Amino acid sequence: LLAEQVEYDKSGEIAHLTGGIRMDFFRSSTRGSVKVTADSGEYLSSNKNVKLRGKVHVLMEDGSSFDTNSIDYTAASSKFKTADMVTFRQERLTLNATGMEMDTRDQQARFFALVDATVAGGSVHGAQLKSKANSGTVAAKKQVSKKISKKARKKALRKKR
């Protein structure tokens, strides 16, 4: 965890972070690296949790990314969580949703509500992730793109006829 400026409140065990905040999660045998940037934040030394605010950008090694206004990292569970609007991008897929949770260990993301996915050349509004319209788990690379690819193939077959 890096920041241009840090003010530490010893009584509250909180470090107030400003300017060019960066968190790095390094590559392991099961996942790629994750880099997170934000404008400001707080580090709670008692539990090692981090709250990031302002232009939060999460970039994964495979090139997929998330953008949101705020996100909280809980060290005990290795998860990022936000209730804010989130934009996820991977290759041709852009997914907008309200609320998200991502586990840094397996890089699985869960989008909570108002999910709207767009693929270059097509769109799936109110995309159903798993069985519920406003909830579901996404292996950011796999599940959503598989569903959208299936629909795109069906659409292409209809056009050929």
Side-chain angles (χ1 to χ4, degrees), residues 13-86:
E13 296 185 7
I14 298 174
H16 300 278
L17 314 168
T18 54
I21 297 171
R22 182 174 170 159
M23 285 179 75
D24 291 321
F25 295 85
F26 296 102
R27 174 187 263 287
S28 75
S29 60
T30 58
R31 64 171 171 80
S33 64
V34 177
K35 295 182 187 323
V36 184
T37 58
D39 292 338
S40 64
E42 294 180 346
Y43 171 75
L44 290 81
S45 60
S46 60
N47 55 16
K48 299 182 179 157
N49 292 345
V50 180
K51 296 180 179 190
L52 300 173
R53 305 292 179 256
K55 296 181 186 171
V56 178
H57 180 71
V58 180
L59 178 63
M60 290 178 272
E61 188 174 317
D62 70 357
S64 57
S65 66
F66 294 94
D67 290 293
T68 188
N69 289 325
S70 70
I71 202 161
D72 296 336
Y73 174 72
T74 305
S77 62
S78 298
K79 289 185 181 179
F80 281 105
K81 189 172 186 176
T82 184
D84 290 345
M85 192 68 188
V86 176

Side-chain angles (χ1 to χ4, degrees), residues 127-148:
Q128 290 190 3
L129 307 178
K130 284 214 169 176
S131 60
K132 296 181 183 175
N134 291 329
S135 177
T137 300
V138 176
K141 306 172 194 172
K142 297 174 185 161
Q143 270 184 320
V144 170
S145 54
K146 279 184 184 177
K147 281 191 173 192
I148 293 170

Side-chain angles (χ1 to χ4, degrees), residues 78-114:
S78 298
K79 289 185 181 179
F80 281 105
K81 189 172 186 176
T82 184
D84 290 345
M85 192 68 188
V86 176
T87 299
F88 167 76
R89 291 179 186 85
Q90 183 196 13
E91 297 177 9
R92 298 180 328 138
L93 173 68
T94 301
L95 186 140
N96 294 298
T98 302
M100 179 207 74
E101 181 178 80
M102 185 184 95
D103 189 319
T104 61
R105 294 170 296 200
D106 61 11
Q107 297 181 0
Q108 294 279 318
R110 177 183 166 104
F111 300 94
F112 298 125
L114 302 174

